[in-house]
Amino acid sequence: MDIRQLEAFLAVAEAGSFTTAADQLHTVQSNVSEHVRQLEAELGVQLLVRGRGSRRGTRPSGSSAR
């Protein structure tokens, strides 16, 4: 686990989107996705619920849908 993985997870959780998080972190979406995937693999849990479209978005795992 490293700081980049944690920063990426926090940015996605706050922004609700990998793309928006990437913009905020001044990187590309694929880097953010990879950092979060690595963090999830190291911890052995799914941290984010991924969905397409504005209705589902991305949210921390275990949170209720809006």
Side-chain angles (χ1 to χ4, degrees):
M1 179 181 321
D2 67 36
I3 191 70
R4 292 173 298 164
Q5 294 169 339
L6 296 171
E7 287 173 338
F9 168 70
L10 181 60
V12 174
E14 290 179 343
S17 159
F18 281 85
T19 302
T20 302
D23 289 343
Q24 293 172 352
L25 295 171
H26 306 288
T27 189
V28 294
Q29 180 270 328
S30 60
N31 284 347
V32 174
S33 294
E34 181 62 16
H35 289 310
V36 172
R37 187 199 63 73
Q38 290 172 350
L39 181 61
E40 289 175 325
E42 287 181 34
L43 296 175
V45 298
Q46 180 181 353
L47 298 172
L48 297 169
V49 176
R50 292 150 175 90
R52 291 206 173 265
S54 60
R55 290 182 188 234
R56 286 187 58 199
T58 304
R59 61 187 187 277
S61 182
S63 67
S64 60
R66 294 182 182 164

